[in-house]
C-alpha cells in the first residue's frame, strides 16, 4: 500500500545501521544500507566514501523508494507483504525478491521471471498474505545459507529474516506495528575505563573472533589496555575506525546487534 512506504523504510533502516566498510562484505563501504556503488549511481560518480558517511535519512529514503520499493511495485501489494518484498529487495535485489514472491505464490518455470505483471498479481490475490510471507522468508533464508559469507554474517542475516517474517505477518493480519523512530541499541558504548557485564560480553566476543591471531584476554569485565589493544586489532581487520571504542558499528561487525 502507498501509505506503508515510510513505516517500512523505518523498519529497514533499523536493520541497516550506520557506516561500515567490512573487508569481508562484498558490498564494500555501506551507510544506512546504501553501498558506495548505489550511492554514486544515484547521486553522482564523483562522490566518495566521505560523502557516503554523510548521507542523510532523506537522501537514503529517495534511493530506497526509487530502486527497491517502486521497482517491486510495493504500492500494489497487500499490507505486510509489501514490507517483506521491499526488505528482501534491499538485501538481495529487486529481481530476486520478485522471483521469490512469484515462486511463493505457486508460479513455476518461465512464470518465475522477476517481472511483475497481471499474472503475478492474480496469484498474490489468490493466497492469504501471511502464507506467502512465510514461504518467501523460508526461500530467502535458504538462499542466504548458500552464500560463502554465511559463516561471517549468518547470525545477523537469520535474525533479520526472522524479524521481517514476524513483523510482516502481523501487518498482514491487520494488526498495527509501530515503526521504530530509530534503531534501539542493544549494546553499550564502551571504552577504556568501562566496566561491567557489557565489557565481559565484548571480551568474550573478541576472544572468539581473534582466536589464533591474538592472545586470549581474561574475561573480567574490566576494559583495560589489553581489551583496548584487542579491540583495535579487530576494528582494523573489520575495516572500521580503529579508535578503541566499541560503538554500534563494532557491535554490528561482531554480529551481536543488527
Amino acid at each position: 500500500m502507498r501509505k506503508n512506504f515510510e513505516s517500512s523504510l523505518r523498519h529497514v533502516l533499523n536493520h541497516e545501521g550506520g557506516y561500515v566498510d567490512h573487508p569481508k562484505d562484498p558490498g564494500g563501504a555501506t551507510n544506512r544500507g546504501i553501498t558506495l556503488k548505489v550511492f554514486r549511481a544515484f547521486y553522482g560518480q564523483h562522490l566518495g566514501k566521505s560523502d557516503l558517511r554523510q548521507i542523510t535519512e532523506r537522501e537514503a529514503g529517495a534511493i530506497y523508494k526509487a530502486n527497491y520499493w517502486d521497482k517491486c511495485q510495493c504500492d500494489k501489494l497487500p499490507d505486510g507483504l509489501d514490507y517483506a518484498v521491499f526488505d528482501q529487495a534491499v538485501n538481495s535485489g529487486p529481481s530476486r525478491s520478485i522471483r521469490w514472491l512469484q515462486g511463493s505464490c505457486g508460479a513455476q518455470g518461465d512464470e518465475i521471471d522477476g517481472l511483475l505483471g497481471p499474472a503475478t498479481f492474480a496469484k498474490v490475490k489468490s493466497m492469504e498474505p501471511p502464507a506467502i510471507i512465510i514461504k518467501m522468508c523460508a526461500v530467502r533464508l535458504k538462499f542466504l545459507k548458500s552464500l560463502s559469507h554465511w559463516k561471517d554474517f549468518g547470525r545477523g542475516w537469520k535474525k533479520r529474516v526472522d524479524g521481517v517474517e514476524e513483523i510482516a505477518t502481523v501487518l498482514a493480519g491487520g494488526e498495527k506495528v509501530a515503526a521504530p523512530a530509530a534503531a534501539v541499541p542493544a549494546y553499550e558504548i564502551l571504552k577504556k575505563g568501562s566496566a561491567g557485564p557489557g565489557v565481559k560480553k565484548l571480551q568474550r566476543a573478541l576472544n572468539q573472533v581473534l582466536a589464533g591471531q591474538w592472545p586470549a584476554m581474561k574475561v573480567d569485565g574490566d576494559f583495560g589496555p589489553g581489551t583496548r589493544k584487542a579491540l583495535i586489532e579487530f576494528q582494523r581487520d573489520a575495516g572500521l575506525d580503529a579508535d578503541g571504542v566499541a560503538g554500534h558499528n563494532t557491535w554490528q561487525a561482531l554480529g551481536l546487534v543488527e
Side-chain angles (χ1 to χ4, degrees):
M1 297 289 190
R2 185 177 302 277
K3 67 183 186 306
N4 293 340
F5 171 70
E6 292 296 335
S7 60
S8 295
L9 176 64
R10 292 304 314 161
H11 287 301
V12 167
L13 291 177
N14 199 44
H15 285 295
E16 292 296 348
Y19 183 84
V20 178
D21 192 6
H22 198 298
K24 293 183 179 180
D25 188 339
T30 304
N31 194 10
R32 298 182 186 268
I34 305 296
T35 65
L36 182 59
K37 181 179 179 181
V38 169
F39 180 59
R40 283 173 168 166
F42 200 85
Y43 286 111
Q45 294 296 328
H46 64 287
L47 300 172
K49 291 184 180 180
S50 60
D51 300 296
L52 180 61
R53 281 180 178 270
Q54 303 302 317
I55 189 173
T56 66
E57 183 175 317
R58 183 175 181 179
E59 290 169 335
I63 294 175
Y64 278 121
K65 189 169 190 306
N67 286 10
Y68 307 103
W69 183 270
D70 289 347
K71 283 188 176 181
C72 291
Q73 300 186 51
C74 292
D75 285 337
K76 298 180 181 179
L77 296 173
D79 291 346
L81 186 58
D82 53 0
Y83 164 55
V85 169
F86 175 48
D87 187 88
Q88 63 191 22
V90 169
N91 235 193
S92 301
S95 179
R96 183 174 283 117
S97 180
I98 293 169
R99 292 199 301 272
W100 290 342
L101 170 64
Q102 291 170 325
S104 299
C105 291
Q108 297 180 356
D110 293 341
E111 294 177 320
I112 304 176
D113 57 7
L115 301 173
L116 281 172
T120 299
F121 286 115
K123 288 183 180 296
V124 168
K125 289 181 179 179
S126 72
M127 294 180 63
E128 292 295 325
I132 302 174
I133 291 165
I134 292 170
K135 287 184 178 181
M136 200 166 58
C137 287
V139 173
R140 178 182 180 182
L141 190 59
K142 182 179 179 180
F143 167 78
L144 293 174
K145 287 181 177 179
S146 73
L147 300 179
S148 61
H149 291 285
W150 174 262
K151 62 182 183 297
D152 300 307
F153 304 107
R155 179 165 50 180
W157 289 348
K158 185 179 186 304
K159 186 176 181 181
R160 177 171 183 160
V161 175
D162 289 346
V164 169
E165 180 179 332
E166 180 180 1
I167 292 173
T169 51
V170 170
L171 291 170
E175 297 182 47
K176 292 184 178 181
V177 176
V184 179
Y187 61 90
E188 297 177 66
I189 297 177
L190 302 173
K191 57 185 178 180
K192 188 177 178 180
S194 298
V199 176
K200 287 184 178 181
K201 182 178 181 180
L202 176 65
Q203 290 169 330
R204 291 191 191 99
L206 289 173
N207 279 341
Q208 182 177 359
V209 298
L210 295 175
Q213 68 181 84
W214 193 266
M217 75 188 81
K218 184 178 180 181
V219 180
D220 58 5
D222 180 15
F223 197 128
T227 300
R228 185 173 186 274
K229 287 180 181 179
L231 176 58
I232 289 174
E233 180 70 14
F234 168 74
Q235 289 173 325
R236 285 174 179 158
D237 287 347
L240 304 173
D241 289 335
D243 57 5
V245 177
H248 178 271
N249 290 345
T250 295
W251 287 107
Q252 186 180 53
L254 286 167
L256 297 176
V257 300
E258 297 176 354

